[in-house]
Amino acid sequence: MEVDMRIVMIGSGYVGLVSGTCFADFGHEVVCVDKDQRKIDALNEGIMPIYEPGLEQLVAKNVAEGRLKFTTELESAAPFADAVFIAVGTPSRRGDGHADLSYVYAAAKEIGQLIRPGAVVVTKSTVPVGTGDEVERIIRSVRDDFEFYVASNPEFLREGAAIDDFQRPDRVVIGVNEPEAAHVLNEIYRPVTTNSAPMLQMARRASELTKYAANAFLATKICFINEISDLCERVGADVGDVALGIGMDKRIGSSFLNAGPGYGGSCFPKDTLALLKTAQDHDASLRIVEAVVAVNDSRKRGMGRKVVHAMGGDVHGKSVALLGLTFKADTDDMRDSPSLAIVQTLQDAGISVRAYDPEGMANARTMMTEVTFCEDPYDAMTGTDCAVIATEWAAFRALDLQRTKDLLKEPLMVDLRNVYSRAEMEGHGFRYHAVGH
Ligand code: UGA
């Protein structure tokens, strides 16, 4: 099977770095480009800018085999590329929640001068409907002497499981308006689509919207089970049973039904807001998504109040050990993490916080004030009035419960990820508060 396409990946952040590395592993020749010289220097020394299981080894393998390179010089790589992927950030624009497309458009302008005839420019960044049209217009404004194609190829990988998700996707979505672009993308993805992942080809706008609809739907599923979990607590039911009971219906599906402290991360919060802006711009209403955003925002603060309540309400001067800071396990990402709102709520109530996270502490130090960062979970719990599990790291699933009890002033645990069972914790003499049971 011949799969040696030449690919340039603009942006070596989460999506760009993982996608570029996996494309190289498929057998393509990949150059990852980033403007950040320090990031590129580090990557060339084998140092990853993010924590992602398996990434370092996969980068090393493909660099050693000569298929993967890192550079700041777009002009040396772009003229040879069959496909140029744009995988730069699309953060929430300050003030209005729209996706900030300035990096995408700047990349489009730059590559317009550099691409070869017939090249396909692909937006892999999460971009609002119509961005492909604008990218095409920008490139055409500097490049009207030959044909090129603009396609959309949204990425559905999750942090922490990024490589596996990329190599074994449920589906690959490509948004193409010309058969030439479809041909190049089909070749690039042949190694996964021959392994039975369906390749869904659709118009560019539908592909752009698919990405936002997928994230908004998943965010809705989480908010739905979180609200059901609140009701479970009131009526004396276990949300785990209810999730199992509904999830086995194939129309509902059992994944993404874990009740918890609300969704965070770099995608769901930003993408739900951007989707609402798109709807507003087009005089459409997405009232369900509006509700999801509001429900999730209030849930994060609500989790802090849940801890205060578990501690008996009279909490001024007390202390909490917060185990887990990142928005989920297996990442160092702190963006929009529920722990940020939880810490704020606890501090507002006069509680001091000792915290530990296996990978997130460096980022947390830049985002949290007056928190004592500790060596390990036991150091964090020493002398505190309550332990709170905020992220489902494996390291917190097997705590030495006797030692935990001895270190805490009170045998009180609030488990916001339902890592432990009530029977186990109460058996060890803890007062145990979970989510949804
Ligand atoms: C999410 C999507 O799952 C990916 O498909 C998508 O590609 C990505 O956004 C993106 O747009 O780039 P990610 O943000 O890495 O991926 O993390 P998820 O595993 O989806 O978790 C998101 C949040 O939902 C976390 O805070 C997690 O704790 C929470 N969650 C997830 C729950 O509370 N319950 C669940 O059952 C699942």
Side-chain angles (χ1 to χ4, degrees), residues 169-170 191-198:
D170 289 343
V192 281
T193 50
T194 48
N195 278 340
S196 84

Side-chain angles (χ1 to χ4, degrees), residues 20 27 38 60 90 106 198-199 212 219 299 342 371 401 406 411 413:
R38 285 198 355 230
T90 52
M199 171 67 107
Y212 283 98
R299 182 164 192 88
I342 293 170
V371 169
L401 293 176
D406 292 345
M413 177 178 283

Side-chain angles (χ1 to χ4, degrees), residues 156-157 159 211 215 222 256 258 264 267 327-328 417:
F156 300 102
L157 61 79
E159 294 186 11
K211 170 67 191 180
N215 274 0
I222 295 167
F256 266 69
N258 294 318
C267 304
F327 80 100
K328 64 172 186 175
R417 297 286 184 168

Side-chain angles (χ1 to χ4, degrees), residues 31-113:
V31 181
C32 288
V33 183
D34 202 288
K35 286 200 180 312
D36 184 341
Q37 182 74 53
R38 285 198 355 230
K39 190 188 271 186
I40 292 297
D41 289 345
L43 280 164
N44 279 322
E45 287 169 29
I47 301 164
M48 299 300 107
I50 47 166
Y51 172 77
E52 178 64 36
L55 182 62
E56 191 175 327
Q57 295 84 331
L58 204 66
V59 167
K61 172 180 168 231
N62 284 282
V63 167
E65 290 172 6
R67 288 187 300 268
L68 180 61
K69 294 192 171 64
F70 300 101
T71 181
T72 54
E73 286 164 23
L74 184 61
E75 54 285 6
S76 62
F80 305 101
D82 300 299
V84 179
F85 285 77
I86 301 179
V88 296
T90 52
S92 273
R93 200 161 64 190
R94 232 172 259 259
D96 69 359
H98 264 290
D100 178 352
L101 295 172
S102 53
Y103 303 108
V104 173
Y105 294 151
K109 197 162 183 188
E110 222 177 319
I111 47 185
Q113 330 261 8

Side-chain angles (χ1 to χ4, degrees), residues 8 51 67 79 97 110-111 150 172 177 206 234 290 320 362 366 409 420 426:
V8 162
Y51 172 77
R67 288 187 300 268
E110 222 177 319
I111 47 185
V150 174
V172 175
N177 292 350
R234 304 277 189 292
E290 273 172 27
V320 156
T366 67
K409 270 199 245 163
Y420 287 97
E426 291 184 347

